[in-house]
Amino acid sequence: MSALLELQGVTAFYGAIQALKGIDLTVNEGEIVTLIGANGAGKSTLMMTICGTPRARDGRIVYDGVDIHAMPTHEIMRRRIAQSPEGRRIFARMSVYENLLMGAYGREPAEATETMAQVFTMFPRLQERRDQRGGTLSGGEQQMLAIGRALMSRPRLLLLDEPSLGLAPLVSKAIFAAIKELNRTTGLTVLLVEQNAIQALKLAHRGYVLVNGAITMQGSGAELLARPEIRAAYLEGGH
Amino acid sequence: MPGTMRDALKDAAISALIAFGLFGAMVGLPTVTGPGGKLSLDPQPLTVAIIVAVVFVGRLGMLLWQGRPKAPPKPISAAPSRFQFARIAGVVLLAVAATLPIYGGRYMIDNGVLVMTYVMLGWGLNIVVGLAGLLDLGYVAFYAVGAYSYALLSQDFGWGFWTCLPLAGILAAFWGILLGFPVLRLRGDYLAIVTLAFGEIIRIVLLNWTSLTGGPNGISGIPRPTLFGLKFTNTDDPGTFAGFFGLEPSLTHRAAFLYYVIFALALLTNWVSTRLRRLPLGRAWEALREDEIACRALGINVTVTKLTAFAIGAAFGGFAGAFFATRQAFVSPESFTFIESAIVLAVVVLGGLGSQLGVALAALVMIGGGEVFRDFNEYRMLIFGVALVVVMVVRPRGLVSGRTPSVTLGKGVHIGADMMSQGHG
């Protein structure tokens, strides 16, 4: 397997506070990799650092053989990396259709139409709500919209930040099923950040555990699920 | 098709009613100064009747010519009918505005020019504030740049209005970009403060750079615009408008001409901004207003998107400024104080952020209304202030709030005001 994304010794700062302390992480082509950790461990920062805001201070972020860590955000995102950001961040006053179109920003209109049809096949609810304002959707539908919007750019690598946030268990299960299906049928590479560690580790091929801005453990999903310290910290604890 | 005819008649009657409401008092009840400086009302029922009749016949003709949609759209909620109302009101306003110099006197035309200037400024600022969600309190700076560009270019190089107009727009856009760079990272209150300062800086520079701008004395003798080289003067010499067409020389011609110039400029502003809204760039502006981080995550170049909003908004401010200079034949820093920015922003907010029709209505009410109430002298600003407060209490999202998607696959679903957040949230 070849690495699609490779982070080597990446650090990031918010002012004087170090949020990431030398992260080494690899995501291979076609894999689902999950990043679990407590609140404030730096999961979302890591996702945003891959996209260039905040910018990595040291280290290298190699995507598809190219070091992208110094590139402007919009150029990184044009290299078929897409992010469904934390908290969904859909455009509340714009319709579902317009939200999806924004995902295809800078792409050919014909390509956008085709991709949108695929997104609608995957999430029929979005098609039903096509002309509805994004802000009036339910939480689960908004999450579908956020993922659908990210898929509109036809990414090779999808960065998913807490897709189950604030969703009913049944709904988040459906979202996870959709991610799995997507990975299985299209070979889409996914880097998934989750607090819901059980679901995430069950879904993922491999996982990393992030504590205070540093990676403390890694291994296959099943392996991590079996580790007693993981169980204690993330599965049976307060999360 | 009796049903079609009845619908059309009903529609036209509603249009006529709106026209009557809008213009009954404004056109029909002008004040005149009688002997001894006493003010009295001079009712003009005939003029109003003509306007209403023109609107009625025009709307009826339009509907019949188009062959009236077979079935009126089923009102699912209150929103579609409001949307239709907006369209009718837009057509009525346009018709009345286009024919104003025909039925209006000199005073009306001059007021029309003033209102239209603010409509244009409002539409220009609407791109920045309403669409891109960047709160700009220094919009008057671009108005000033446009006005002084024309004033200086005509003085120093002897260039005419039509040559300088695009240059004024380009220079203002350039200043828009220049302002845009340092404020790229700012939003909301912080952005407002910096743009406010920018507006003041421009004014103070104009005030103090005496060798170039004449300082507080301003620049006078700015040439008037010409129509394909024909001048508008009080004589009928060859080379003048009146002389060429063999008309009785009258300065009203110039007023009417100026009116049509600003009318065309305002329509251009409207056309460009409604077109841009349907393009990816315009959608990116709106997305930027909604959520900047999401925009970054989608690979939108936020820098370029913000700067284009600043530049295009500023360019229209520049056009309006050049027009202002040629209309007044005189510019001085006094015309570009903060209150101008505030009025234009009030027009945009009052009209409903992002709404083209709302801005036009708000400019009409605020500027035109202000002129109507001029006779109340010192109470004018009081009435104005009270009206502002009342509007914001009754309609906190502006006169015409709500948003229609810029693209749809099927029929557009208008998003009603009740679904909108207040301000630019």
Side-chain angles (χ1 to χ4, degrees):
Chain A
M1 275 202 280
S2 64
L4 183 61
L5 178 77
E6 200 172 358
L7 276 68
Q8 301 163 355
V10 170
T11 66
F13 291 78
Y14 288 117
I17 299 163
Q18 186 164 13
L20 297 178
K21 298 165 182 165
I23 302 286
D24 296 304
L25 181 146
T26 308
V27 182
N28 294 315
E29 186 108 49
E31 257 188 333
I32 300 180
V33 172
T34 184
L35 193 65
I36 58 174
N39 274 331
K43 304 186 300 288
S44 293
T45 305
L46 182 58
M47 293 297 244
M48 292 308 285
T49 306
I50 294 170
C51 301
T53 41
R55 205 159 283 294
R57 190 173 289 183
D58 311 297
R60 278 156 50 85
I61 301 173
V62 181
Y63 170 76
D64 200 18
V66 185
D67 187 1
I68 58 169
H69 89 272
M71 282 184 189
T73 302
H74 62 270
E75 269 178 35
I76 297 174
M77 306 316 281
R78 266 182 216 156
R79 294 176 171 254
R80 307 225 145 174
I81 300 181
Q83 167 146 218
S84 162
E86 186 182 11
R88 308 188 278 264
R89 292 190 175 273
I90 56 158
F91 303 121
R93 282 204 271 177
M94 297 168 84
S95 68
V96 167
Y97 183 62
E98 287 172 308
N99 265 279
L100 289 173
L101 275 185
M102 289 312 301
Y105 191 76
R107 309 246 159 223
E108 291 294 314
E111 195 188 298
T113 313
E114 201 187 313
T115 320
M116 196 176 302
Q118 292 167 4
V119 170
F120 283 153
T121 317
M122 195 181 324
F123 300 118
R125 282 302 277 279
L126 292 184
Q127 184 154 30
E128 288 165 29
R129 306 252 185 253
R130 193 184 59 200
D131 293 326
Q132 200 170 314
R133 191 181 76 118
T136 61
L137 300 182
S138 74
E141 288 164 350
Q142 287 192 11
Q143 188 58 57
M144 291 174 197
L145 180 55
I147 295 174
R149 190 178 62 181
L151 292 175
M152 283 300 289
S153 65
R154 296 195 167 181
R156 281 178 72 190
L157 173 64
L158 177 64
L159 306 175
L160 271 179
D161 200 342
E162 302 235 15
S164 73
L165 189 74
L167 298 186
L170 214 63
V171 180
S172 74
K173 221 169 200 166
I175 299 274
F176 276 99
I179 297 166
K180 187 165 195 169
E181 183 64 16
L182 202 64
N183 170 263
R184 201 178 56 79
T185 53
T186 66
L188 178 73
T189 311
V190 180
L191 177 57
L192 170 75
V193 156
E194 257 303 329
Q195 287 216 36
N196 188 341
I198 299 187
Q199 272 196 354
L201 288 172
K202 274 184 187 160
L203 172 76
H205 300 108
R206 290 188 306 115
Y208 290 85
V209 179
L210 197 65
V211 177
N212 281 331
I215 286 178
T216 54
M217 259 179 272
Q218 54 174 303
S220 75
E223 229 172 83
L224 287 176
L225 263 177
R227 296 277 280 264
E229 57 267 51
I230 296 270
R231 298 204 73 91
Y234 303 107
L235 304 182
E236 282 147 13
H239 299 284
Chain B
M1 290 188 292
T4 316
M5 191 62 200
R6 203 177 60 222
D7 282 345
L9 277 171
K10 207 172 107 188
D11 198 327
I14 294 170
S15 307
L17 206 65
I18 295 168
F20 180 74
L22 278 172
F23 296 96
M26 275 194 57
V27 179
L29 296 170
T31 49
V32 288
T33 318
K38 249 189 81 181
L39 282 171
S40 56
L41 288 173
D42 176 23
Q44 303 276 349
L46 191 65
T47 321
V48 175
I50 290 170
I51 295 175
V52 172
V54 164
V55 169
F56 181 80
V57 173
R59 179 71 185 165
L60 191 66
M62 209 182 84
L63 288 173
L64 293 179
W65 181 69
Q66 288 177 337
R68 182 72 185 146
K70 288 107 240 157
K74 286 192 191 78
I76 303 158
S77 69
S81 69
R82 204 181 295 156
F83 179 51
Q84 208 182 16
F85 167 82
R87 278 189 56 187
I88 297 171
V91 170
V92 171
L93 271 181
L94 194 68
V96 171
T99 51
L100 183 120
I102 296 165
Y103 57 78
R106 180 68 198 274
Y107 175 73
M108 280 278 296
I109 296 174
D110 282 344
N111 271 342
V113 170
L114 193 67
V115 169
M116 212 48 96
T117 310
Y118 280 93
V119 170
M120 179 174 178
L121 285 171
W123 279 339
L125 184 62
N126 201 15
I127 294 175
V128 185
V129 180
L131 291 184
L134 304 162
L135 184 52
D136 184 351
L137 288 183
Y139 193 61
V140 74
F142 309 121
Y143 192 41
V145 167
Y148 271 86
S149 300
Y150 173 49
L152 291 171
L153 287 172
S154 68
Q155 283 243 309
D156 296 344
F157 302 105
W159 293 351
F161 175 70
W162 296 108
T163 319
C164 294
L165 183 68
L167 290 175
I170 290 166
L171 280 167
F174 169 74
W175 282 96
I177 292 171
L178 218 61
L179 166 69
F181 265 113
V183 300
L184 277 174
R185 292 156 166 274
L186 305 178
R187 270 189 88 81
D189 327 6
Y190 305 97
L191 178 67
I193 293 294
V194 176
T195 51
L196 179 100
F198 180 76
E200 285 299 283
I201 289 169
I202 293 277
R203 188 178 65 85
I204 290 167
V205 167
L206 292 175
L207 197 60
N208 290 293
W209 193 352
T210 320
S211 59
L212 182 74
T213 65
N217 297 328
I219 299 168
S220 53
I222 300 167
R224 301 300 200 139
T226 55
L227 177 69
F228 299 110
L230 296 175
K231 291 196 184 81
F232 290 88
T233 59
N234 220 351
T235 60
D236 56 358
D237 299 334
T240 65
F241 179 76
F244 187 82
F245 290 100
L247 299 170
E248 187 75 23
S250 158
L251 281 180
T252 308
H253 292 157
R254 176 157 77 200
F257 175 62
L258 282 171
Y259 177 81
Y260 279 118
V261 170
I262 188 67
F263 184 52
L265 283 173
L267 287 184
L268 176 77
T269 315
N270 180 42
W271 183 76
V272 169
S273 43
T274 42
R275 282 309 290 264
L276 279 172
R277 236 197 99 200
R278 291 196 201 105
L279 294 177
L281 177 65
R283 265 202 304 280
W285 285 341
E286 289 201 82
L288 195 67
R289 176 190 69 198
E290 303 287 305
D291 197 319
E292 190 173 329
I293 291 176
C295 283
R296 285 182 194 279
L298 293 175
I300 294 166
N301 189 338
V302 176
T303 310
V304 168
T305 309
K306 276 191 183 177
L307 287 181
T308 46
F310 269 121
I312 293 174
F316 287 118
F319 288 148
F323 174 81
F324 174 79
T326 194
R327 182 204 172 203
Q328 301 281 329
F330 168 73
V331 288
S332 83
E334 241 171 87
S335 312
F336 307 107
T337 51
F338 169 66
I339 188 73
E340 291 296 318
S341 292
I343 289 175
V344 178
L345 186 67
V347 163
V348 175
V349 174
L350 207 62
L353 288 163
S355 160
Q356 297 295 105
L357 175 67
V359 167
L361 277 177
L364 183 65
V365 171
M366 279 185 61
I367 310 303
E371 285 303 313
V372 170
F373 284 115
R374 189 170 282 283
D375 308 324
F376 290 94
N377 261 325
E378 62 263 43
Y379 296 111
R380 192 162 71 103
M381 287 317 274
L382 184 70
I383 295 170
F384 180 67
V386 169
L388 273 188
V389 172
V390 168
V391 169
M392 283 291 116
V393 168
V394 178
R395 294 194 67 92
R397 295 163 190 90
L399 291 174
V400 182
S401 45
R403 176 178 179 275
T404 313
S406 61
V407 281
T408 46
L409 287 172
K411 60 179 174 47
V413 178
H414 182 74
I415 291 157
D418 46 336
M419 296 291 197
M420 307 282 286
S421 58
Q422 269 172 244
H424 63 286

